[in-house]
Amino acid sequence: MPDFTMPSLGADMDRGTLTEWLVGPGDRVNRGDAVAVVETDKAEIEVECFDDGVIDALLVEPGTSVPVGAPLARLTSPEAPAAPPEPSAPEPVSGEPAPAPAPAPEPRHAATPLVRRLAEEQGVDVASVHGTGHDGRVVRADVERAARPPSRPKASPMARRIAGELGVDLGRVRGSGAGGAIRADDVRAAARTPRPPARPRRKAAAPRPAKAGRQAAMRRAIGELMARSKREIPHYYLGTTIDMSAATAWLWARNRELPVAKRLLPAALLLRASALAAREVPELNGHWLDDAFVQGDGVHLGIVTALRGGGLMTPTLRGADDLSLDELMAALKEMLVRARTGRLRGSELADATITVTDLGDQGVESVTGVIFPPQVALIGFGKIVQRPWAVEGLLGVRPVVTATLAADHRASDGHTGARLLEAVDRLLQSPEEL
């Protein structure tokens, strides 16, 4: 079974620092479970496992920097045969009683690594939580419910007095009185019951670097990637101005039918049109690898996202061409929140096939971007502005947006790039079909 290795979380990542394990030896993990936290030059990212299995051994200590592809943990198959049973001890020849059998191991309560991590942060013992998920799995709501301050337990005055004398926490006592009220005998019985030993805590996370140091590292990583792009990629640039009358009118009418929380932003239309145009012009949707263009297995949009503390990230909206406008809007909002709160996962930072940058909300009218290698194209949008616009010889004022394209001359030429911008323009003239 393959090891769990340090993933690549972007074209600018050569190595990463493991800062925290979210699982331990013996934990069963499923594909998609977050198993560790990795720090890159830009952020700390939860990375997921790509296989089902059982953690056999953790190979890297928190705080260790390792290159991309280095083994981090050893996995075994969940169906691996159990170890052969130990030979049974010979029966005693004397009349002495046989030793008592070892106690059965405590059943492990099913919970995802994220839920177990939340439980640790909240000081909740997962083993004591009643799971309401599938097959009794402990879910996030169960942990949050268990972490709430307990209500005052129902107990008789004598039970409270005895609990104070014996040092018994009434919150741990199961009442046998009417309506679950705790009686004096319940307290005495609880006082005689030994408390279970504390569960060993997982290895402590590595200390986090200072915020200023991380921002400097992020700026350095961005600079190095952009310098590499300009050094290796022969860029060419195109631009066009798109009439947004039909798109904005349709958006206004559509949003009147939607609740506030689900209303669409112009960015959703621009991203949807970009995704469909990339599918229509596949020569610009993919990567330049080993001196050849490799077409993407889908349209995975990288979204340039400015961070509140400075710097930027480019999370990936996978399969953007297969999402409806409503789905795309919801996925975009959720992804941006996670990006700006440092809660992105590793799978959301990899495999973008084309990138879109939109600086319209910053008042910029046009943006000419730098391609993220190994991609071969980047689409830019500026602010939607009112401009004089002639239609069939008549001059009027219309909302327009400037769309630009930066593309790799090794993979395409201006004719191909023009086809993509023409497709974006055409799609935005029929927003009801997006």
Side-chain angles (χ1 to χ4, degrees), residues 27-119:
D27 284 348
R28 177 164 183 159
V29 293
N30 297 315
R31 179 183 174 87
D33 284 347
V35 297
V37 179
V38 168
E39 182 188 8
T40 70
D41 289 333
K42 294 183 177 179
E44 286 189 324
I45 307 295
E46 287 185 347
V47 292
E48 308 102 313
C49 189
F50 291 95
D51 299 285
D52 298 340
V54 176
I55 300 293
D56 183 52
L58 305 179
L59 306 178
V60 174
E61 292 289 328
T64 306
S65 175
V66 297
V68 170
L72 299 179
R74 188 166 57 236
L75 296 178
T76 58
S77 170
E79 289 82 22
E86 296 287 339
S88 58
E91 295 185 358
V93 295
S94 66
E96 298 177 357
E106 183 182 354
R108 186 172 185 82
H109 294 251
T112 65
L114 273 180
V115 171
R116 288 200 290 272
R117 183 187 183 193
L118 174 65

Side-chain angles (χ1 to χ4, degrees), residues 120-144:
E120 278 199 1
E121 293 171 352
Q122 300 286 339
V124 174
D125 182 3
V126 174
S128 65
V129 178
H130 173 69
T132 60
H134 181 63
D135 290 337
R137 181 179 290 268
V138 178
V139 299
R140 184 185 186 93
D142 299 329
V143 173
E144 292 174 342

Side-chain angles (χ1 to χ4, degrees), residues 85-368:
E86 296 287 339
S88 58
E91 295 185 358
V93 295
S94 66
E96 298 177 357
E106 183 182 354
R108 186 172 185 82
H109 294 251
T112 65
L114 273 180
V115 171
R116 288 200 290 272
R117 183 187 183 193
L118 174 65
E120 278 199 1
E121 293 171 352
Q122 300 286 339
V124 174
D125 182 3
V126 174
S128 65
V129 178
H130 173 69
T132 60
H134 181 63
D135 290 337
R137 181 179 290 268
V138 178
V139 299
R140 184 185 186 93
D142 299 329
V143 173
E144 292 174 342
R145 189 182 308 111
R148 291 187 195 123
S151 57
R152 181 181 172 85
K154 187 177 180 182
S156 68
M158 179 176 288
R160 293 189 184 280
R161 180 173 60 78
I162 295 175
E165 294 171 355
L166 299 179
V168 174
D169 179 6
L170 288 179
R172 297 190 302 109
V173 181
R174 182 186 296 273
S176 61
I182 300 173
R183 304 189 310 172
D185 288 345
D186 300 327
V187 177
R188 295 190 185 97
R192 292 192 295 269
T193 304
R195 301 190 63 174
R199 293 167 65 86
R201 295 184 65 82
R202 191 169 293 130
K203 291 180 179 178
R208 268 58 169 171
K211 182 178 179 181
R214 178 174 298 168
Q215 288 184 342
M218 176 184 291
R219 182 53 53 197
R220 184 168 56 251
I222 294 171
E224 290 174 354
L225 182 65
M226 295 298 97
R228 172 190 162 193
S229 175
K230 298 294 283 188
R231 185 172 59 248
E232 297 179 357
I233 300 177
H235 287 65
Y236 70 88
Y237 305 98
L238 302 173
T240 189
T241 303
I242 298 174
D243 181 0
M244 292 290 287
S245 297
T248 54
W250 180 86
L251 195 64
W252 182 81
R254 174 66 175 150
N255 280 339
R256 291 187 64 187
E257 304 170 352
L258 297 174
V260 174
K262 294 189 176 181
R263 288 180 180 171
L264 303 172
L265 296 175
L269 292 177
L270 299 175
L271 292 176
R272 175 71 174 153
S274 298
L276 294 177
R279 182 167 69 184
E280 191 173 316
V281 187
E283 299 94 326
L284 294 171
N285 181 60
H287 303 124
W288 185 262
L289 299 171
D290 299 328
D291 291 330
F293 173 70
V294 179
Q295 184 177 325
D297 60 353
V299 178
H300 311 312
L301 290 184
I303 312 295
V304 179
T305 304
L307 303 180
R308 292 193 179 97
L312 56 86
M313 298 185 72
T314 314
T316 303
L317 203 57
R318 298 185 64 82
D321 58 327
D322 293 328
L323 299 177
S324 68
L325 262 179
D326 293 339
E327 292 171 337
L328 189 149
M329 186 71 241
L332 178 65
K333 288 171 62 177
E334 184 180 344
M335 188 178 69
L336 293 181
V337 168
R338 287 204 302 277
R340 288 166 176 161
T341 55
R343 293 167 49 204
L344 283 176
R345 287 188 161 195
S347 59
E348 295 174 307
L349 285 170
D351 301 330
T353 53
I354 186 170
T355 292
V356 177
T357 180
D358 181 357
L359 287 176
D361 60 346
Q362 301 298 315
V364 173
E365 293 195 19
S366 68
V367 53
T368 304

